Amino acid sequence: MTFKRIVVGVDGSKAGWSAVHHAFDIGKALDVPVVGTYIVDERLIDESFLEDLAGVLGFTYYVGISQRVKKFLEDQADAILDEFLSLGRVKGIKVSSFQASGIPYKLITEQADEEDLIVVGSRGKRPISGILLGSTAERVVRLSKCPVFLTAEDYRSIKKVCVAYDGMETSKRALSIAKSLAGLLSWDVCALYVGEKDLSRDVGDDVEYVNLKGIPEERIVEYCNDKGVDMLVMGAFARGKVKELFLGSVTSFVMHHLQIPMLMVK
């Protein structure tokens, strides 16, 4: 299993640069292009939003201010993408960039094909706490046709990888991807199953098999924290919308309770 391209969300935040460095690591190992994608959030240049924001922050609002804000954000995007391209070339990565205005999670997912990998920071830049609520990262995972790598705020190299395995097709694909990347990136991989069955034969002899009992999402988080796991690989939102609505989502629980990088496979 490999990827044709790495599409990384770039926004200038600490989490965003962490995503860039992880994207470079994978792009170099696979020898595939890395595309830096900066989306100027169109909601930030909406006149009604800026008028309300002026009232909250106490600055003077005037008609047409959105064009000045847009110009500022576009100039900032240019500078950040220039830095991304320069850094990538120094590292010997095949890099290119894409900039547009729109809703970030929509345009990022639209840029990627099924054979690609999206890399985004789990906590990107947010202008004001309490405004524009909702996680861009989680929405990218929900909408994406391809696997999504969510990075932690602080970049660190990955050595120990845990695959959440349940025998379903998404977890089989997750394990296959982890095994393929392990040889290139020097990862130690284990497969964690939470349940009553013995799935060790499915996993194979080339990775460590761990079987725990209990509530899957809780055991996954506990295991990763207790064993010093550097990254979790798992199938994303596999239950379906109806079950997720009434029973909750293992994916959402894990995303909100783990502070390590996660590779979510669709």
Side-chain angles (χ1 to χ4, degrees), residues 161-164 174-175 177-178 187 231-235 262-265:
V161 174
C162 175
V163 179
L175 182 60
I177 291 173
W187 292 348
M231 185 175 78
L232 174 69
V233 184
M234 66 181 293
M262 288 170 272
L263 177 56
M264 299 297 190
V265 178

Side-chain angles (χ1 to χ4, degrees), residues 40-89:
V40 176
D41 196 328
E42 65 181 17
R43 294 168 294 183
L44 296 179
I45 53 180
D46 179 78
E47 289 283 352
S48 59
F49 168 77
L50 291 171
E51 186 174 6
D52 291 340
L53 187 61
V56 172
L57 299 182
F59 66 83
T60 302
Y61 169 80
Y62 57 88
V63 176
I65 192 175
S66 62
Q67 292 305 308
R68 294 193 63 180
V69 173
K70 182 179 180 182
K71 180 65 166 55
F72 169 79
L73 294 175
E74 289 175 344
D75 289 346
Q76 178 179 256
D78 288 338
I80 292 172
L81 287 175
D82 283 345
E83 185 175 353
F84 162 83
L85 293 171
S86 297
L87 182 61
R89 288 166 185 151

